[in-house]
Amino acid sequence: MAPIDPHSFTESTHPLATHISLSLFFDFPSSTIHASALLTLPAPHSGPLSLDARALTVHSVLDPQSSAPLPFSLSSPDPIKGCHLTVSLSNHSSFLIVYSTSPSSSALQWLSPPQTFNKTLPFVYTQCQAIHARSVFPCQDTPAARVRYAAKLNVPRQLSAVMSARHVDRRDPIAGEGAALVSADALWCAEGRVVEEFVMEQPIPPYLFAFAVGELGFREVGPRTRVYSEAVPAVLESAATEFASTEDMIRQGEALFGPYEWERFDLLVLPPSFPYGGMENPRMTFLTPTVLKGDSSGAQVVAHELAHSWTGNLITNKTNEHFWLNEGFTTYAERRIVEAVQGEDRAALNIGIGWRGLNKEMERFKDNLEVTKLKTNQEGVDPDDVYSEVPYEKGFQFLWRIERQVGRPAFDEFLKKYIATFKFQSIDTDTFLDFLKANLPGIEKEVDLILWTEGTGIPPDAYEPVSSIYSKIVSMANEFKLGRMPREDEVADWQGQEWELYLENLPKSIEASQILELNSRFRLSESKDYEVKVAFLLLAIASKCKEHYVEVEKTLKAVGRKKYLVPLYSALVEGGTGKEEEKILAKRVFAEARDTYHPIAQGVIETILSKHI
C-alpha cells in the first residue's frame, strides 16, 4: 500500500472516485454545514477505501440503494493531513457519507454581519487550496484525483450562492431530498429556505471546489463574464470598471493557448479577509478587494487567474511537490497576456517585480534550500508553511529561458501542443520534461533541465528583464542612496507598479528622516494600492520610523491577504534585540485582528509569531 501524495491518505491501489454529489445545509448560527456526499467509483470495489477528512463529524456511511450502514473508521488527526477515513466496501460502486463540518473547518470562513460590507447578513466562503477541501467534504484530497460533482446548497432565502460550477436552478426545497442529513427533512424544508443547484461537468482536482453564500449582487462586464460581490453598488461599480478588459484577455489567452474550455469566466470580489490575491476556481475566480485599485492594474491578478484556466485547471500538478507546473506556467502565461493587452513595458515591470521577489525569497529560505527547488520533497511539510513566490518566479524564469533558447514561435507551438496533449490530466515534473525533450529535440543540451528543476537557488542563466522603463526606475532607486529623491515631474505618470518596483529596489537601511521626507512628498502611506502601501510600510519598519506604526496597525486590521500580512508581521518580529516594541505591537494587533482573518492566514501568522516571540 502506497500513498500517491505526501499530503493525502489516498492509496495508489484504490480506485479514484469519478463523481461526488453533495447536499449541503448551511446553519449560520452554529457556523456548521450538515451534509451528505455520494461518492461514485468507476467500478464496483470490495475492501477498504481511504479518504481524507479534517474537522468533520462522520455520522454514518450508507449503501445508497438499501440505506444499510457500511463499516467505517476515522483515525485521530495528523497535524498536517487531518483524519484518515476508511470505508469498508463490498462490491459497491457508490456509497453515501452523512457528516457535519466543524466551525473550525480550515477551508471555511464564516463572517458575522458586522464583518461584511453591508453589516446586515452573514457570509461564508471556501478556500480549498492546497489541502483544505477535506474540511468541507470527505474526499481523495489530492490533485491527482480529478472528479466531477453536483451540489445542492440549502441556504436562507435572503442569501444567494455562487460556485465554481454551472448554476442550474434556484428553487424551493423538495421533501425527501434532505432525508439522509442529520438535519433531516424538517430543517431542509423549513420556512425561509431555498436550494441553489450546481453541476461541474469537467473533472477537476478537489482544491478547485469553491462556493460563497451571502447577500450577492453582480454586473455584466462581457459576453461570458459577470463580476459578483456583496450587493454594494460602490464595490460592484468599481469592480466592473477595473475588470472591463476581461473579454480582451480571454481572447488573447485563446489565441496563445487554445480554446477556453470552461464556458464562463465570472469573478467574485470577496470581503477583505480573503487570504490570497486571487483563487482560480473554474468558472468563478475568487478575488481580494485589494485588487480594486482604480487604475485597471488590478486586472493583472485577473490575467493570472484567467491563465490558470489552461495551466493549473486544465493541466494540474499531480501533487504540491510539483506546484511550479501550475504557477510557473501561469505566471509565464499571465505575462504573455499582459504584454498582448497592455504592452511590453507593462510586462517588463511585472517581470522585474517578480525578479526582486524571487531574490527576496532566496534570502528568506537560505536555511531551507529544499524550498528553493522547483521539484520539491514535501514529506511531513504543510504546504501552507512553504507557500512562496519560488514556484511562480523560478518556474517563470525556467520557461522564459526555454523560450529564449528555441525562439518564441517554436515555444508557442510547443505550449499549444502541451496543453492539448495533457488537458484534464494531472502530471508531474518528469512527465513535463519527457514531453519537452520529445518535442524540442536537443533542448537538454542547451538548457540544464536538471539544474533548473532539482537545483537550489537561482540558476546562472536566469535573466533580469531589460526595458527602458525598468532600467530607469532601478537607477532612480540607486540614486536614493546618494540622497536624491525623484522629482514630481519624473513620477507624474507612475502607477502602482512603478512605485512598487522603485520601493522594492531602495536600500533596506534608510534613515527614518528619509522615510518621512519620501512620504511627505508622495503620500505613499496613504496609497490605495496595497502593493505600494505595504512596500513603503516595510521600509518604515526596517528604519524604525515609528510615526508610521499606526498605519501598519490599520493595514493589518483592514486586510486578510497573506501577501501583505506575512511580510508585515515578519518585519515586526524578526531580528533580535531592540525589537521589543515591535513584537509587542505584532502580538497585540494579531490578538485583536485574528478573528477577522481566514483560518489559513491565522495558522501562518501563528507560526511566524511562535518562532520569534
Side-chain angles (χ1 to χ4, degrees), residues 323-589:
F323 190 47
W324 81 272
L325 286 170
N326 278 20
E327 295 300 353
F329 266 95
T330 298
T331 303
Y332 176 86
E334 165 211 338
R335 287 172 182 159
R336 291 292 303 277
I337 293 170
V338 167
E339 183 182 315
V341 176
Q342 297 184 353
E344 284 184 20
D345 270 351
R346 203 49 49 195
L349 284 178
N350 207 321
I351 296 167
I353 290 165
W355 176 255
R356 290 292 306 165
L358 180 60
N359 281 277
K360 276 204 310 207
E361 295 291 46
M362 293 303 161
E363 178 61 26
R364 175 182 158 207
F365 290 119
K366 61 178 187 285
D367 299 327
N368 184 9
L369 290 176
E370 179 65 30
V371 185
T372 69
K373 298 176 181 177
L374 288 183
K375 184 177 164 185
T376 56
N377 174 6
Q378 294 190 12
E379 190 67 51
V381 173
D382 186 330
D384 289 336
D385 288 345
V386 293
Y387 179 84
S388 79
E389 287 184 43
V390 173
Y392 295 73
E393 296 297 343
K394 187 175 179 180
F396 163 79
Q397 284 282 344
F398 179 34
L399 298 172
W400 201 30
R401 172 70 186 88
I402 297 167
E403 182 209 289
R404 290 200 303 277
Q405 188 61 46
V406 301
R408 183 169 276 189
F411 193 59
D412 281 357
E413 199 178 312
F414 166 80
L415 275 181
K416 276 189 175 154
K417 188 173 180 186
Y418 167 69
I419 290 164
T421 303
F422 295 108
K423 70 179 185 178
F424 296 114
Q425 294 179 49
S426 299
I427 67 168
D428 60 17
T429 302
D430 290 343
T431 304
F432 166 72
L433 293 177
D434 290 344
F435 185 79
L436 179 72
K437 289 184 280 193
N439 287 276
L440 294 174
I443 188 71
E444 68 274 22
K445 297 187 183 73
E446 310 292 343
V447 179
D448 189 336
L449 305 180
I450 302 302
L451 177 70
W452 269 100
T453 53
E454 298 181 30
T456 59
I458 302 175
D461 51 346
Y463 195 66
E464 191 170 3
V466 177
S467 93
S468 55
I469 188 163
Y470 177 80
S471 306
K472 181 183 162 199
I473 291 170
V474 171
S475 70
M476 283 171 72
N478 290 334
E479 287 173 356
F480 190 91
K481 296 166 195 169
L482 310 172
R484 187 176 106 69
M485 286 198 190
R487 297 190 311 273
E488 296 277 355
D489 61 303
E490 289 178 302
V491 301
D493 60 348
W494 279 16
Q495 289 181 306
Q497 276 195 308
E498 285 87 344
W499 274 113
E500 185 188 350
L501 186 65
Y502 178 77
L503 293 169
E504 291 279 355
N505 280 280
L506 289 181
K508 292 298 167 251
S509 53
I510 299 178
E511 297 296 319
S513 59
Q514 292 176 292
I515 291 286
L516 290 169
E517 188 186 345
L518 191 62
N519 195 58
S520 70
R521 275 197 205 186
F522 301 112
R523 301 275 169 228
L524 299 173
S525 67
E526 298 161 29
S527 175
K528 288 188 170 58
D529 187 329
Y530 275 90
E531 306 288 341
V532 175
K533 182 194 281 264
V534 171
F536 175 78
L537 293 176
L538 288 170
L539 289 170
I541 295 169
S543 65
K544 285 184 165 289
C545 185
K546 292 175 183 174
E547 288 86 342
H548 288 298
Y549 285 10
V550 172
E551 195 59 48
V552 171
E553 177 171 345
K554 266 170 57 182
T555 302
L556 289 171
K557 288 180 173 178
V559 296
R561 187 176 173 185
K562 285 198 318 175
K563 184 179 183 183
Y564 308 138
L565 299 181
V566 168
L568 285 171
Y569 275 112
S570 298
L572 287 171
V573 300
E574 284 173 0
T577 52
K579 293 294 283 276
E580 281 66 31
E581 185 181 333
E582 287 80 1
K583 288 180 179 180
I584 291 165
L585 173 66
K587 202 171 172 183
R588 175 179 62 76
V589 171

